[in-house]
């Protein structure tokens, strides 16, 4: 396989790697952990082809179904891609989307509630806004400003406005220069996306437009505080904005 553009990889020959026998009732999870750690440690790199099922069965002293289950878990979490035929399993680039998907799965399995997500989002995004006021660059500020201009032209279009709403919040998180804020924001947004869609699309045209104007005004106030380097004010404005959003989401869930 030949690399054509960014994100693709060159298929390599099967790598030589030492895998330890697994003796446990939940062997597939142990195999998953072992290979995952080798990937995270950089001992197995993107584009490397894992040993064949038969070789892994011999090395780990486990059955084919156990090996396949571990491979499915690794593919589900974005670490490998399984190809049919002789290509086998190939290690993938780890990106933000993989991290977001994995975190979403963990949160859903642990029964994290919408209320939990909203509270966490309010506290973390307000701190991200505060850091953005301190660390924001001219390039980052210009990005936020451009998004605000476009969102101001999207009143009445629920899907388009929601897209710019997310881009605004991501741009503020990026301006904080802390990647964790960006990752966790995406996780939180994905988990409340359906509720946001309902809120932004509810009501008559005039009601929706007034709602968009209110949100846009809040975004502008956050931006102005960040631009002026007023961290406490940026944090306060973001917290108030998200508190209003929480009220809208929770009221809709109770109605």
């Amino acid at each position: 396989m030949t690399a054509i553009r960014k994100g693709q990889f060159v298929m390599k020959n099967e790598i030589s790697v030492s895998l330890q026998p697994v003796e446990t009732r939940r062997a597939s999870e142990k195999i998953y952990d072992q290979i995952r750690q080798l990937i995270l440690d950089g001992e197995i790199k993107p584009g490397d082809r894992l040993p064949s099922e038969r070789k892994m069965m011999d090395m780990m002293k486990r059955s084919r179904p156990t090996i396949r289950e571990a491979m499915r878990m690794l593919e589900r979490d974005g670490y490998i891609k399984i190809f049919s035929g002789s290509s086998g399993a190939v290690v993938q680039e780890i990106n933000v989307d993989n991290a977001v998907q994995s975190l979403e799965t963990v949160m859903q399995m642990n029964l994290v509630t919408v209320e939990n997500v909203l509270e966490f989002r309010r506290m973390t995004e307000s701190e991200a806004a505060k850091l953005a006021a301190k660390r924001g660059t001219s390039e980052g500020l210009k990005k936020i400003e451009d998004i605000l201009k476009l969102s101001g032209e999207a009143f009445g279009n629920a899907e388009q406005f929601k897209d710019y709403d997310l881009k605004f919040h991501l741009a503020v998180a990026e301006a904080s220069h802390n990647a964790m804020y960006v990752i966790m924001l995406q996780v939180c947004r994905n988990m409340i996306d359906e509720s946001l869609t309902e809120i932004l699309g509810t009501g008559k045209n005039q009601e929706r437009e007034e709602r968009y104007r209110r949100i846009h005004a809040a975004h502008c106030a956050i931006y102005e505080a960040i631009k002026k380097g007023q961290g406490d004010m940026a944090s306060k404005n973001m917290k108030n904005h998200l508190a209003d959003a929480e009220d809208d989401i929770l009221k809709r869930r109770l109605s």
Side-chain angles (χ1 to χ4, degrees), residues 103 107 120 124 179-189:
L103 281 169
M107 291 167 72
F120 179 81
T124 54
M180 278 302 299
Y181 285 125
V182 178
I183 293 170
M184 294 311 300
L185 168 58
Q186 291 185 71
V187 174
C188 292
R189 283 292 295 239

Side-chain angles (χ1 to χ4, degrees), residues 156-170:
N157 186 322
E159 279 302 318
Q160 195 173 63
F161 188 84
K162 187 179 77 167
D163 182 52
Y164 289 128
D165 178 78
L166 173 58
K167 287 179 178 178
F168 168 80
H169 285 275
L170 282 173

Side-chain angles (χ1 to χ4, degrees), residues 15 39 57 69 82 85 102 112 118 123 150 155 165 176 187 191 201 209 213 217 246-247 252:
I15 60 170
I39 293 171
M57 289 165 60
E69 175 60 23
I82 299 173
S102 297
V112 173
L118 293 173
M123 301 307 295
L150 291 169
F155 294 171
D165 178 78
S176 76
V187 174
M191 293 192 71
E209 187 163 327
R213 289 187 187 282
E246 285 181 40
D247 287 341
R252 178 151 299 279

Side-chain angles (χ1 to χ4, degrees), residues 51-108:
S52 67
E53 286 183 356
R54 171 55 62 186
K55 288 183 179 179
M56 283 197 277
M57 289 165 60
D58 291 340
M59 283 188 280
M60 296 179 151
K61 312 301 181 188
R62 307 305 303 188
S63 66
R64 189 180 300 274
T66 299
I67 299 296
R68 286 185 173 175
E69 175 60 23
M71 294 300 102
R72 282 195 293 268
M73 292 164 64
L74 287 162
E75 184 175 45
R76 178 200 64 199
D77 290 345
Y79 293 105
I80 67 171
K81 174 69 176 176
I82 299 173
F83 294 92
S84 58
S86 60
S87 297
V90 179
V91 177
Q92 302 291 285
E93 289 279 2
I94 298 176
N95 55 41
V96 172
D97 289 339
N98 298 147
V100 168
Q101 185 177 2
S102 297
L103 281 169
E104 280 185 58
T105 300
V106 171
M107 291 167 72
Q108 289 166 354

Side-chain angles (χ1 to χ4, degrees), residues 101-133:
Q101 185 177 2
S102 297
L103 281 169
E104 280 185 58
T105 300
V106 171
M107 291 167 72
Q108 289 166 354
M109 289 176 65
N110 284 277
L111 303 179
V112 173
T113 66
V114 169
E115 289 81 1
N116 293 157
V117 173
L118 293 173
E119 181 179 61
F120 179 81
R121 182 190 175 204
R122 175 166 30 91
M123 301 307 295
T124 54
E125 283 203 60
S126 61
E127 286 303 305
K130 186 174 184 176
L131 282 177

